[in-house]
Amino acid sequence: MKKVWAFFTCTVIFSVLVTGCSENGKKAASDSKKDNKVTIKFYSHGNEESYNWKNTIESFEKKYPTIDVELVILSEKGDTQEAAKKLGLAAASGEQMDVIMFSESASYAQNVSMGMAAPLDEFINEEGYKVTDEYKVDTEINGKYYALPGKFNPWYVLINKDHLDAAGLTVPKDWTWDEFMEYAKAMTRDGHYGTYFHGPQDGSWLEYIRLALASEDEDTEFTTEEGKSNLEHPLFKKTLEMRVKMEKEDQSAVPYEEVLTQKLHYREQFFTQAASSIIIGSWVNAELGGTELNPLNFNITVAPYPKNEKADKGGYAPVTTDYMAVAAKSDHKQEAYTFIRWYTTEGQIIQGKNVPSWNKVSYHDTNVIIDRILNGTKNPEKIDKDSLIDVLTNAKSSKFVSPVPNQAEIYKVLNEEYEKLIFGEQNIDSTIKVSKERVQEILNNNQ
């Protein structure tokens, strides 16, 4: 009975999301066109401080005087979970929606599956470009594009340059995971560890048990594009082997038990010099020169996300972006597309808060953006800016893999099995075997 009621409830919610309140929609459509102008309503999880919306939107409206953009900030705190809830409520109440910003890939894929975003292929084909040539992030789902990518935040390796010099090592420009392990081992000295891994924790930060997988151009997740388990992939096993070796044998990584029991955090570990390096996303660019909370008392350099083999192309890394979509129920799809296309290209440069996913951003523009970001910190002179720009310029996103239903449940299972491994309760082969069985059961239930 509970399943029937849950199914009925989901069906009602889905129906409301898709159909909306037609009367409200009609009124919004009629109200949005006045004085030969079209007003499009844009829903964003990002606040003014993080996204410089006022100046950005004013610049767009100056270039496109027949389109006004009405911004709806879903969370003043920039809380993506709060934003997702408010977005769902707005959709269910039939409010006018034209442009929607999704904060991460799971939210993007889920809302596409619910019919909230319109396919953009018609507009893309009419303009005559290829998304993978134009942008660094591929947003394709099941052969169609439902969003264009905004910011480009690839993962990289932050390294304490003072510790690097003390170990007699050079700044890595192109390296493998084996070399990363060697570096971490060499920098483990004078009472600090060579590196710190911030996950997995509580079913999140699972990037830290797919390190080697994420270095590839495709097939980088725990599940495949077809929704099947990917846990037999040799690079999943390689990552587990790396984590065990670095903690147990080399003793170059902060012990996982300490991460959990002491509730450690990557910022504190790196900025207090407790760890010589961290693998993290470039959303921390705005903190690199130090802040009031985490002052910088040493020099920092940046290395690319490691690759698996010397001969590999390299540059691939986990990437976070904003997915800019046109609402499926929008009465102004052309104007909404015009906005997201502008925003994900020249608009990103004007906004000046992040490195854009747009491939046509010049080295000069990237330099200006990075200068602006670093100059907002306490000690930008301590950052190896050339290495930072080089890493960000050459980083690439892997092929997008749509998250499966119950993704969070899969993450929880993998987290549990990893803990059994790292605490010595089972070996690597058993971890993979049991993880695959448990994940497969979740996948079967999804069907």
Side-chain angles (χ1 to χ4, degrees):
M1 184 62 189
K2 288 182 179 179
K3 289 186 177 180
V4 172
W5 177 250
F7 175 78
F8 174 75
T9 303
C10 292
T11 303
V12 170
I13 293 172
F14 179 78
S15 175
V16 172
L17 283 171
V18 173
T19 61
C21 298
S22 59
E23 290 306 315
N24 287 351
K26 287 175 185 175
K27 185 177 185 302
S30 62
D31 288 348
S32 66
K33 209 163 193 177
K34 23 182 143 171
D35 301 325
N36 294 320
K37 283 189 174 184
V38 168
T39 297
I40 59 174
K41 210 165 178 180
F42 167 34
Y43 291 77
S44 168
H45 63 82
N47 57 24
E48 175 64 29
E49 182 182 3
S50 300
Y51 282 85
N52 190 22
W53 287 127
K54 187 176 184 296
N55 181 58
T56 305
I57 290 174
E58 283 177 356
S59 298
F60 171 78
E61 292 175 341
K62 185 175 180 180
K63 182 167 183 176
Y64 296 94
T66 61
I67 307 175
D68 284 341
V69 179
E70 180 184 339
L71 174 66
V72 179
I73 296 178
L74 295 163
S75 173
E76 291 294 345
K77 300 177 294 184
D79 185 323
T80 55
Q81 289 187 332
E82 178 189 6
K85 289 177 183 176
K86 287 186 176 179
L87 180 64
L89 289 173
S93 66
E95 292 184 25
Q96 178 191 346
M97 277 188 180
D98 300 292
V99 174
I100 309 170
M101 173 191 274
F102 300 119
S103 62
E104 40 82 34
S105 59
S107 175
Y108 167 50
Q110 179 183 356
N111 283 287
V112 165
S113 70
M114 292 175 66
M116 189 178 282
L120 305 177
D121 302 79
E122 178 185 348
F123 300 112
I124 293 168
N125 294 337
E126 185 177 341
E127 199 175 338
Y129 65 92
K130 190 177 179 183
V131 172
T132 49
D133 290 339
E134 194 79 355
Y135 298 97
K136 293 180 180 178
V137 179
D138 186 4
T139 57
E140 182 184 14
I141 294 180
N142 297 328
K144 290 186 177 182
Y145 288 96
Y146 295 88
L148 298 178
K151 66 187 178 186
F152 181 69
N153 281 342
W155 284 48
Y156 50 27
V157 185
L158 292 181
I159 303 176
N160 183 317
K161 182 68 162 55
D162 297 354
H163 289 181
L164 193 73
D165 292 343
L169 300 169
T170 58
V171 178
K173 299 294 183 184
D174 181 63
W175 60 339
T176 64
W177 284 111
D178 287 341
E179 290 169 321
F180 169 80
M181 290 192 287
E182 291 169 7
Y183 268 61
K185 188 175 181 180
M187 289 189 292
T188 301
R189 52 193 289 169
D190 305 324
H192 58 256
Y193 288 96
T195 199
Y196 168 81
F197 297 113
H198 193 53
Q201 292 189 52
D202 300 320
S204 63
W205 297 99
L206 271 291
E207 291 89 352
Y208 291 100
I209 58 170
R210 66 176 185 93
L211 295 170
L213 270 173
S215 298
E216 299 296 293
D217 61 340
E218 59 182 9
D219 207 19
T220 60
E221 298 285 350
F222 300 116
T223 53
T224 67
E225 184 59 39
E226 294 76 29
K228 298 179 180 178
S229 169
N230 196 33
L231 299 181
E232 287 187 337
H233 198 298
L235 294 180
F236 175 57
K237 182 175 184 178
K238 177 177 179 176
T239 302
L240 298 181
E241 290 172 340
M242 285 167 47
R243 291 295 304 268
V244 171
K245 183 177 190 301
M246 294 182 76
E247 178 171 334
K248 305 298 184 183
E249 185 179 327
D250 297 345
Q251 298 183 346
S252 59
V254 176
Y256 184 75
E257 184 176 8
E258 289 184 20
V259 176
L260 298 185
T261 58
Q262 298 179 30
K263 297 183 179 178
L264 301 180
H265 195 275
Y266 62 83
R267 289 184 177 91
E268 164 259 329
Q269 286 292 291
F270 187 67
F271 283 102
T272 63
Q273 304 190 68
S276 301
S277 68
I278 54 171
I279 303 169
I280 200 65
S282 53
W283 60 77
V284 300
N285 285 346
E287 306 169 45
L288 291 189
T291 61
E292 290 286 352
L293 189 61
N294 294 297
L296 179 63
N297 301 309
F298 56 94
N299 295 295
I300 291 178
T301 191
V302 186
Y305 195 81
K307 55 189 185 181
N308 288 304
E309 303 292 340
K310 270 289 188 185
D312 291 350
K313 191 173 182 180
Y316 292 102
V319 170
T320 58
T321 189
D322 292 317
Y323 296 87
M324 301 296 297
V326 172
K329 301 297 289 184
S330 172
D331 291 320
H332 308 296
K333 290 185 175 65
Q334 178 63 64
E335 291 83 0
Y337 171 77
T338 298
F339 175 70
I340 69 169
R341 177 69 166 136
W342 175 88
Y343 173 72
T344 58
T345 53
E346 61 185 280
Q348 287 284 289
I349 300 170
I350 292 168
Q351 192 173 56
K353 286 288 188 177
N354 294 283
V355 173
S357 293
W358 191 33
N359 275 324
K360 294 181 181 177
V361 174
S362 68
Y363 184 86
H364 170 74
D365 287 333
T366 302
N367 211 321
V368 169
I369 292 171
I370 292 298
D371 271 339
R372 190 180 301 159
I373 293 170
L374 295 183
N375 287 339
T377 64
K378 298 290 185 182
N379 297 101
E381 75 282 355
K382 292 184 176 292
I383 309 298
D384 180 358
K385 192 182 80 170
D386 290 340
S387 289
L388 174 62
I389 292 177
D390 185 60
V391 168
L392 294 174
T393 302
N394 292 300
K396 297 186 287 289
S397 172
S398 307
K399 182 176 172 56
F400 183 82
V401 179
S402 299
V404 298
N406 295 343
Q407 186 87 55
E409 190 177 347
I410 289 175
Y411 284 172
K412 185 173 181 294
V413 162
L414 293 175
N415 198 152
E416 290 171 355
E417 296 306 322
Y418 174 76
E419 290 188 356
K420 293 175 187 175
L421 167 67
I422 208 68
F423 291 144
E425 297 172 18
Q426 63 188 12
N427 61 27
I428 290 174
D429 288 336
S430 295
T431 300
I432 294 172
K433 180 178 181 294
V434 176
S435 296
K436 185 186 173 187
E437 289 171 354
R438 294 185 67 189
V439 167
Q440 191 59 54
E441 183 178 356
I442 295 170
L443 294 173
N444 291 343
N445 290 337
N446 288 338
Q447 295 174 4

